[in-house]
Coordinates of all heavy atoms in Angstrom, one line a residue:
Chain A
A1713 N 15.5 -16.7 17.0 CA 15.3 -18.2 17.2 C 14.7 -18.8 15.9 O 14.0 -18.1 15.2 CB 14.4 -18.4 18.4
V1714 N 15.0 -20.1 15.7 CA 14.6 -20.7 14.5 C 13.4 -21.7 14.8 O 13.5 -22.4 15.7 CB 15.8 -21.5 13.8 CG1 15.3 -22.1 12.5 CG2 16.9 -20.5 13.6
Y1715 N 12.4 -21.7 13.9 CA 11.2 -22.5 14.0 C 10.5 -22.5 15.4 O 10.2 -23.5 16.0 CB 11.6 -24.0 13.7 CG 12.2 -24.3 12.4 CD1 13.3 -25.1 12.2 CD2 11.7 -23.7 11.2 CE1 13.9 -25.3 11.0 CE2 12.2 -23.9 10.0 CZ 13.3 -24.7 9.9 OH 13.9 -25.0 8.6
T1716 N 10.3 -21.2 15.9 CA 9.7 -21.1 17.2 C 8.3 -20.5 17.1 O 7.7 -20.2 18.2 CB 10.6 -20.2 18.1 OG1 10.8 -19.0 17.4 CG2 11.9 -20.9 18.5
Q1717 N 7.8 -20.2 15.9 CA 6.6 -19.3 15.8 C 5.3 -20.1 15.7 O 5.3 -21.1 15.0 CB 6.8 -18.3 14.7 CG 7.9 -17.4 15.0 CD 8.1 -16.3 14.0 OE1 7.1 -15.8 13.4 NE2 9.3 -15.9 13.7
V1718 N 4.3 -19.5 16.4 CA 3.0 -20.1 16.2 C 2.1 -19.0 15.6 O 2.5 -17.8 15.6 CB 2.4 -20.4 17.6 CG1 3.1 -21.7 18.2 CG2 2.4 -19.3 18.6
D1719 N 1.0 -19.3 15.0 CA 0.1 -18.4 14.4 C -0.3 -17.3 15.4 O -0.6 -17.5 16.5 CB -1.2 -19.1 13.8 CG -0.9 -19.8 12.5 OD1 0.2 -19.7 12.0 OD2 -1.8 -20.4 12.0
Y1720 N -0.4 -16.1 14.9 CA -0.8 -14.9 15.7 C -1.6 -14.0 14.8 O -1.2 -13.5 13.8 CB 0.5 -14.2 16.2 CG 0.2 -13.0 17.1 CD1 0.1 -13.2 18.5 CD2 0.1 -11.7 16.6 CE1 -0.2 -12.1 19.3 CE2 -0.1 -10.6 17.4 CZ -0.2 -10.8 18.8 OH -0.5 -9.7 19.6
E1721 N -2.9 -13.8 15.2 CA -3.8 -12.9 14.4 C -3.6 -11.5 14.8 O -3.7 -11.0 15.9 CB -5.2 -13.3 14.8 CG -5.7 -14.7 14.3 CD -7.2 -14.9 14.5 OE1 -7.9 -13.9 14.7 OE2 -7.6 -16.1 14.5
F1722 N -3.4 -10.7 13.7 CA -3.2 -9.2 13.9 C -4.5 -8.4 13.6 O -4.6 -7.2 14.0 CB -2.1 -8.7 12.9 CG -0.7 -9.0 13.4 CD1 0.0 -10.0 12.9 CD2 -0.2 -8.2 14.4 CE1 1.3 -10.3 13.4 CE2 1.1 -8.4 14.9 CZ 1.8 -9.5 14.4
A1723 N -5.5 -9.0 12.9 CA -6.7 -8.3 12.4 C -7.4 -7.4 13.5 O -7.8 -6.3 13.3 CB -7.6 -9.2 11.7
E1724 N -7.5 -8.0 14.7 CA -8.2 -7.3 15.7 C -7.3 -6.5 16.7 O -7.8 -5.9 17.7 CB -9.1 -8.2 16.5 CG -10.1 -9.0 15.6 CD -11.1 -8.2 14.9 OE1 -11.3 -7.0 15.2 OE2 -11.6 -8.7 13.8
E1725 N -6.0 -6.5 16.4 CA -5.1 -5.9 17.3 C -5.1 -4.4 17.1 O -4.9 -3.9 16.0 CB -3.7 -6.4 17.1 CG -3.5 -7.9 17.6 CD -3.7 -8.0 19.1 OE1 -3.1 -7.2 19.8 OE2 -4.5 -8.9 19.5
P1726 N -5.2 -3.6 18.2 CA -5.1 -2.1 18.0 C -3.7 -1.7 17.6 O -2.7 -2.3 18.0 CB -5.4 -1.6 19.4 CG -5.2 -2.7 20.3 CD -5.4 -4.0 19.6
A1727 N -3.6 -0.7 16.7 CA -2.3 -0.3 16.1 C -2.2 1.2 16.1 O -3.2 1.9 16.4 CB -2.2 -0.8 14.7
I1728 N -1.0 1.7 15.9 CA -0.8 3.2 15.7 C 0.0 3.4 14.4 O 0.6 2.5 13.9 CB -0.1 3.8 16.9 CG1 1.3 3.1 17.1 CG2 -0.9 3.8 18.2 CD1 2.3 4.0 17.8
V1729 N -0.1 4.7 14.0 CA 0.8 5.1 12.8 C 2.2 5.3 13.4 O 2.3 6.1 14.3 CB 0.2 6.4 12.2 CG1 1.2 6.9 11.2 CG2 -1.2 6.2 11.6
K1730 N 3.1 4.7 12.7 CA 4.5 5.0 13.1 C 5.2 5.9 12.2 O 5.9 6.9 12.6 CB 5.3 3.6 13.2 CG 6.6 3.7 13.8 CD 6.5 3.9 15.3 CE 7.9 4.2 15.9 NZ 7.8 4.7 17.3
T1731 N 5.0 5.7 10.9 CA 5.5 6.7 9.9 C 4.4 6.8 8.8 O 3.6 5.8 8.7 CB 6.8 6.2 9.2 OG1 6.5 5.1 8.4 CG2 7.9 5.8 10.2
F1732 N 4.4 7.8 8.0 CA 3.3 7.9 7.0 C 3.7 8.9 5.9 O 4.6 9.7 6.1 CB 2.0 8.3 7.6 CG 1.9 9.8 8.0 CD1 1.4 10.8 7.1 CD2 2.5 10.2 9.2 CE1 1.4 12.1 7.5 CE2 2.4 11.6 9.5 CZ 1.9 12.5 8.7
T1733 N 3.0 8.8 4.8 CA 3.2 9.8 3.7 C 1.9 9.8 2.9 O 1.0 8.9 3.1 CB 4.3 9.5 2.8 OG1 4.5 10.5 1.9 CG2 4.1 8.2 2.0
G1734 N 1.7 10.8 2.1 CA 0.6 10.9 1.1 C 1.3 11.0 -0.2 O 1.9 12.0 -0.5
D1735 N 1.2 10.0 -1.1 CA 2.0 9.8 -2.3 C 1.2 10.2 -3.5 O 0.2 9.5 -3.8 CB 2.4 8.4 -2.3 CG 3.5 8.1 -3.4 OD1 3.6 8.9 -4.3 OD2 4.2 7.1 -3.3
M1736 N 1.6 11.3 -4.2 CA 0.9 11.7 -5.4 C 1.4 11.0 -6.6 O 0.8 11.1 -7.7 CB 1.1 13.2 -5.6 CG 0.4 14.1 -4.6 SD -1.4 13.9 -4.5 CE -1.9 14.5 -6.1
L1737 N 2.6 10.3 -6.5 CA 3.2 9.7 -7.7 C 2.6 8.3 -7.9 O 2.4 7.8 -9.0 CB 4.7 9.6 -7.5 CG 5.5 9.2 -8.7 CD1 5.4 10.1 -9.9 CD2 7.0 9.0 -8.3
A1738 N 2.2 7.6 -6.8 CA 1.7 6.3 -6.8 C 0.4 6.3 -7.6 O -0.4 7.2 -7.5 CB 1.5 5.7 -5.4
A1739 N 0.2 5.2 -8.4 CA -1.1 5.1 -9.1 C -2.2 4.9 -8.2 O -2.2 4.0 -7.4 CB -1.0 3.9 -10.1
S1740 N -3.2 5.8 -8.2 CA -4.3 5.7 -7.3 C -5.5 6.4 -7.8 O -5.4 7.5 -8.4 CB -4.0 6.3 -5.9 OG -5.1 6.4 -5.1
I1741 N -6.7 5.9 -7.7 CA -7.9 6.5 -8.1 C -8.3 7.6 -7.1 O -9.2 8.4 -7.3 CB -9.1 5.5 -8.3 CG1 -10.3 6.1 -9.0 CG2 -9.5 4.8 -7.0 CD1 -10.1 6.4 -10.5
D1742 N -7.7 7.6 -5.9 CA -8.0 8.5 -4.9 C -6.7 9.1 -4.3 O -6.4 8.9 -3.1 CB -8.8 7.8 -3.8 CG -9.4 8.8 -2.8 OD1 -9.6 10.0 -3.2 OD2 -9.7 8.4 -1.7
P1743 N -6.0 9.9 -5.1 CA -4.7 10.4 -4.6 C -4.9 11.4 -3.5 O -5.9 12.1 -3.5 CB -4.0 11.0 -5.9 CG -5.2 11.3 -6.8 CD -6.2 10.3 -6.5
P1744 N -3.9 11.7 -2.6 CA -2.7 10.9 -2.6 C -2.9 9.5 -2.0 O -3.8 9.4 -1.1 CB -1.8 11.7 -1.7 CG -2.7 12.4 -0.8 CD -3.9 12.7 -1.6
N1745 N -2.1 8.5 -2.4 CA -2.1 7.2 -1.8 C -1.5 7.4 -0.4 O -0.3 7.7 -0.3 CB -1.5 6.2 -2.6 CG -1.7 4.8 -2.2 OD1 -2.8 4.5 -1.7 ND2 -0.8 3.9 -2.2
I1746 N -2.2 7.1 0.6 CA -1.7 7.3 2.0 C -1.2 5.9 2.5 O -2.0 5.0 2.4 CB -2.7 8.0 2.9 CG1 -3.3 9.2 2.3 CG2 -2.1 8.3 4.3 CD1 -4.5 9.8 3.0
Y1747 N 0.0 5.9 3.0 CA 0.4 4.6 3.6 C 1.5 4.9 4.6 O 2.0 6.0 4.7 CB 0.9 3.6 2.5 CG 1.9 4.2 1.5 CD1 3.3 4.1 1.8 CD2 1.5 4.8 0.3 CE1 4.2 4.6 0.8 CE2 2.4 5.3 -0.6 CZ 3.8 5.2 -0.3 OH 4.7 5.7 -1.2
G1748 N 1.9 3.9 5.3 CA 3.0 4.0 6.3 C 3.2 2.8 7.1 O 2.5 1.8 6.9
L1749 N 4.1 2.9 8.1 CA 4.4 1.8 8.9 C 3.3 1.8 10.1 O 3.1 2.8 10.8 CB 5.8 2.0 9.5 CG 6.5 0.9 10.2 CD1 6.6 -0.3 9.3 CD2 7.8 1.3 10.7
I1750 N 2.7 0.6 10.1 CA 1.7 0.4 11.2 C 2.3 -0.4 12.3 O 2.8 -1.5 12.0 CB 0.4 -0.3 10.5 CG1 -0.4 0.7 9.7 CG2 -0.5 -0.9 11.6 CD1 -0.9 1.9 10.5
Q1751 N 2.2 0.1 13.5 CA 2.8 -0.6 14.6 C 1.7 -1.1 15.6 O 0.8 -0.3 16.0 CB 3.7 0.3 15.3 CG 4.4 -0.4 16.5 CD 5.6 0.4 17.0 OE1 6.5 0.6 16.1 NE2 5.7 0.7 18.2
F1752 N 1.7 -2.4 15.9 CA 0.7 -3.0 16.8 C 1.1 -2.8 18.2 O 2.3 -2.9 18.5 CB 0.4 -4.4 16.4 CG -0.2 -4.6 15.1 CD1 0.6 -4.8 14.0 CD2 -1.5 -4.5 14.9 CE1 0.1 -4.9 12.7 CE2 -2.1 -4.7 13.6 CZ -1.3 -4.9 12.5
E1753 N 0.2 -2.4 19.0 CA 0.5 -2.0 20.4 C 1.1 -3.2 21.1 O 2.0 -3.0 22.0 CB -0.7 -1.4 21.1 CG -1.1 -0.1 20.5 CD -2.4 0.5 21.0 OE1 -3.0 -0.1 21.9 OE2 -2.8 1.5 20.5
A1754 N 0.7 -4.4 20.8 CA 1.2 -5.6 21.5 C 2.4 -6.2 20.8 O 2.9 -7.2 21.2 CB 0.1 -6.6 21.6
G1755 N 2.9 -5.4 19.8 CA 4.1 -5.9 19.1 C 3.8 -6.3 17.7 O 2.7 -6.8 17.4
G1756 N 4.8 -6.0 16.8 CA 4.6 -6.3 15.4 C 4.3 -5.1 14.6 O 3.8 -4.1 15.2
R1757 N 4.7 -5.1 13.4 CA 4.4 -3.9 12.5 C 4.6 -4.3 11.0 O 5.1 -5.4 10.7 CB 5.5 -2.8 12.8 CG 6.9 -3.3 12.8 CD 8.0 -2.3 12.7 NE 7.9 -1.3 13.8 CZ 8.9 -0.4 14.0 NH1 9.9 -0.4 13.2 NH2 8.8 0.4 15.0
F1758 N 4.0 -3.6 10.2 CA 4.3 -3.8 8.7 C 3.9 -2.5 8.0 O 3.1 -1.7 8.5 CB 3.6 -5.0 8.2 CG 2.1 -5.0 8.0 CD1 1.6 -4.8 6.7 CD2 1.3 -5.1 9.1 CE1 0.2 -4.7 6.6 CE2 -0.1 -5.1 8.9 CZ -0.6 -4.9 7.7
M1759 N 4.4 -2.4 6.7 CA 4.0 -1.3 5.9 C 2.7 -1.5 5.3 O 2.5 -2.5 4.6 CB 5.1 -1.1 4.8 CG 5.0 0.1 4.0 SD 5.2 1.7 4.9 CE 6.9 1.5 5.4
A1760 N 1.7 -0.6 5.5 CA 0.4 -0.8 5.1 C -0.2 0.4 4.4 O 0.2 1.5 4.6 CB -0.5 -1.1 6.3
D1761 N -1.1 0.1 3.5 CA -1.9 1.2 2.9 C -2.9 1.6 3.9 O -3.4 0.8 4.7 CB -2.7 0.7 1.7 CG -1.8 0.6 0.4 OD1 -1.0 1.5 0.2 OD2 -1.9 -0.4 -0.3
F1762 N -3.2 2.9 3.9 CA -4.3 3.5 4.8 C -5.5 3.7 3.9 O -5.4 3.9 2.8 CB -3.9 4.8 5.4 CG -2.6 4.8 6.3 CD1 -2.0 3.6 6.6 CD2 -2.2 5.9 6.9 CE1 -0.8 3.6 7.4 CE2 -1.1 5.9 7.8 CZ -0.4 4.7 8.0
T1763 N -6.6 3.6 4.6 CA -7.9 3.8 3.8 C -8.9 4.6 4.7 O -8.7 4.7 6.0 CB -8.5 2.5 3.3 OG1 -9.5 2.8 2.4 CG2 -9.0 1.6 4.4
D1764 N -9.9 5.1 4.1 CA -11.0 5.8 4.9 C -10.4 6.9 5.7 O -10.8 7.1 6.9 CB -11.7 4.9 5.8 CG -12.7 4.0 5.0 OD1 -12.8 4.2 3.8 OD2 -13.4 3.1 5.6
C1765 N -9.4 7.6 5.2 CA -8.8 8.8 6.0 C -8.3 9.8 5.0 O -8.2 9.6 3.8 CB -7.7 8.3 6.9 SG -6.3 7.7 6.0
R1766 N -8.1 11.0 5.6 CA -7.5 12.1 4.8 C -6.1 12.4 5.3 O -5.9 12.3 6.5 CB -8.4 13.4 5.0 CG -9.7 13.3 4.3 CD -10.6 14.4 4.8 NE -11.9 14.4 4.2 CZ -12.3 15.2 3.2 NH1 -11.4 16.1 2.7 NH2 -13.5 15.1 2.7
L1767 N -5.3 12.8 4.4 CA -3.9 13.1 4.8 C -3.8 14.1 5.9 O -3.0 13.9 6.8 CB -3.1 13.6 3.5 CG -1.6 13.9 3.8 CD1 -0.9 12.6 4.3 CD2 -1.0 14.4 2.5
A1768 N -4.6 15.1 5.8 CA -4.5 16.2 6.8 C -4.8 15.7 8.3 O -4.3 16.3 9.2 CB -5.5 17.3 6.5
E1769 N -5.5 14.6 8.4 CA -5.8 14.1 9.8 C -4.8 13.1 10.3 O -4.8 12.7 11.5 CB -7.2 13.5 9.8 CG -7.3 12.2 9.0 CD -8.7 11.6 9.0 OE1 -9.3 11.5 10.1 OE2 -9.2 11.2 8.0
V1770 N -3.9 12.6 9.4 CA -3.0 11.5 9.8 C -1.8 12.1 10.6 O -1.2 13.1 10.2 CB -2.4 10.7 8.6 CG1 -1.5 9.6 9.0 CG2 -3.6 10.2 7.8
K1771 N -1.5 11.5 11.8 CA -0.4 11.9 12.6 C 0.4 10.7 13.1 O -0.2 9.6 13.2 CB -0.9 12.6 13.9 CG -1.8 13.9 13.6 CD -1.0 15.1 13.4 CE -1.9 16.3 13.1 NZ -2.5 16.3 11.7
V1772 N 1.7 10.9 13.3 CA 2.4 9.8 14.0 C 1.8 9.5 15.3 O 1.6 10.5 16.1 CB 3.9 10.2 14.1 CG1 4.7 9.1 14.9 CG2 4.5 10.2 12.7
G1773 N 1.5 8.3 15.6 CA 0.9 7.9 16.9 C -0.6 7.8 16.9 O -1.2 7.4 17.9
M1774 N -1.2 8.1 15.7 CA -2.7 8.1 15.6 C -3.2 6.6 15.7 O -2.6 5.7 15.1 CB -3.0 8.6 14.2 CG -4.5 8.7 13.9 SD -4.6 9.7 12.4 CE -5.9 8.9 11.6
P1775 N -4.2 6.4 16.5 CA -4.7 5.0 16.7 C -5.4 4.5 15.4 O -6.2 5.3 14.8 CB -5.8 5.2 17.8 CG -5.6 6.5 18.4 CD -5.0 7.4 17.3
M1776 N -5.1 3.3 15.0 CA -5.7 2.7 13.8 C -6.2 1.3 14.1 O -5.8 0.7 15.1 CB -4.6 2.6 12.7 CG -3.8 3.9 12.4 SD -4.8 5.1 11.5 CE -4.5 4.6 9.8
R1777 N -7.1 0.9 13.2 CA -7.5 -0.5 13.2 C -7.4 -1.1 11.8 O -7.4 -0.4 10.8 CB -8.9 -0.7 13.8 CG -10.0 -0.4 12.9 CD -11.3 -0.5 13.6 NE -11.6 -1.9 13.9 CZ -12.5 -2.7 13.2 NH1 -13.1 -2.3 12.2 NH2 -12.7 -3.9 13.6
M1778 N -7.3 -2.4 11.7 CA -7.1 -3.0 10.4 C -8.5 -3.3 9.8 O -9.4 -3.6 10.4 CB -6.3 -4.3 10.5 CG -4.9 -4.2 11.2 SD -4.0 -2.8 10.6 CE -3.7 -3.3 8.9
T1779 N -8.5 -3.2 8.4 CA -9.7 -3.4 7.7 C -9.4 -4.2 6.4 O -8.4 -3.9 5.8 CB -10.5 -2.1 7.5 OG1 -11.6 -2.4 6.6 CG2 -9.6 -1.1 6.8
F1780 N -10.3 -5.1 6.1 CA -10.0 -6.0 4.9 C -10.5 -5.3 3.7 O -11.7 -4.9 3.6 CB -10.8 -7.3 5.1 CG -10.6 -8.4 4.1 CD1 -9.5 -9.1 4.1 CD2 -11.6 -8.6 3.2 CE1 -9.3 -10.1 3.2 CE2 -11.4 -9.6 2.2 CZ -10.2 -10.4 2.2
R1781 N -9.6 -5.1 2.7 CA -10.0 -4.3 1.5 C -9.4 -5.0 0.2 O -8.6 -5.8 0.3 CB -9.4 -2.9 1.6 CG -10.1 -2.1 2.7 CD -11.5 -1.8 2.5 NE -12.2 -1.2 3.7 CZ -12.5 0.0 3.8 NH1 -12.2 0.9 2.8 NH2 -13.1 0.5 4.9
K1782 N -9.9 -4.5 -0.9 CA -9.4 -4.9 -2.2 C -8.0 -4.3 -2.3 O -7.7 -3.1 -1.9 CB -10.2 -4.3 -3.3 CG -11.5 -5.0 -3.6 CD -12.0 -4.7 -5.0 CE -12.4 -3.2 -5.2 NZ -13.0 -3.0 -6.5
H1783 N -7.0 -5.1 -2.7 CA -5.7 -4.7 -2.8 C -5.3 -4.4 -4.3 O -4.5 -3.6 -4.6 CB -4.7 -5.7 -2.2 CG -3.3 -5.3 -2.3 ND1 -2.4 -5.9 -3.1 CD2 -2.6 -4.4 -1.6 CE1 -1.2 -5.4 -2.9 NE2 -1.3 -4.5 -2.0
L1784 N -6.0 -5.2 -5.2 CA -5.7 -4.9 -6.6 C -6.9 -5.4 -7.4 O -7.5 -6.4 -7.1 CB -4.4 -5.5 -7.1 CG -4.4 -6.9 -7.8 CD1 -3.5 -6.8 -9.0 CD2 -3.9 -8.0 -6.9
D1785 N -7.1 -4.7 -8.5 CA -8.1 -5.1 -9.5 C -7.3 -5.5 -10.7 O -6.7 -4.6 -11.4 CB -8.9 -3.8 -9.9 CG -10.3 -3.9 -9.3 OD1 -10.8 -5.1 -9.2 OD2 -10.9 -2.9 -9.0

Side-chain angles (χ1 to χ4, degrees):
Chain A
V1714 182
Y1715 300 138
T1716 53
Q1717 295 185 34
V1718 291
D1719 281 358
Y1720 182 87
E1721 289 187 20
F1722 281 100
E1724 305 299 338
E1725 290 297 312
I1728 58 157
V1729 173
K1730 192 69 189 168
T1731 69
F1732 73 97
T1733 188
D1735 189 340
M1736 292 300 293
L1737 190 63
S1740 170
I1741 191 72
D1742 191 23
N1745 191 36
I1746 307 171
Y1747 52 89
L1749 193 59
I1750 284 297
Q1751 179 160 308
F1752 295 92
E1753 288 171 8
R1757 52 166 58 172
F1758 73 101
M1759 189 61 67
D1761 280 318
F1762 297 0
T1763 191
D1764 286 356
C1765 65
R1766 289 164 179 263
L1767 180 59
E1769 65 179 316
V1770 181
K1771 302 274 178 290
V1772 170
M1774 178 169 147
M1776 305 291 271
R1777 80 182 292 260
M1778 303 314 295
T1779 174
F1780 185 76
R1781 295 294 169 102
K1782 284 201 293 185
H1783 183 251
L1784 98 135
D1785 256 327

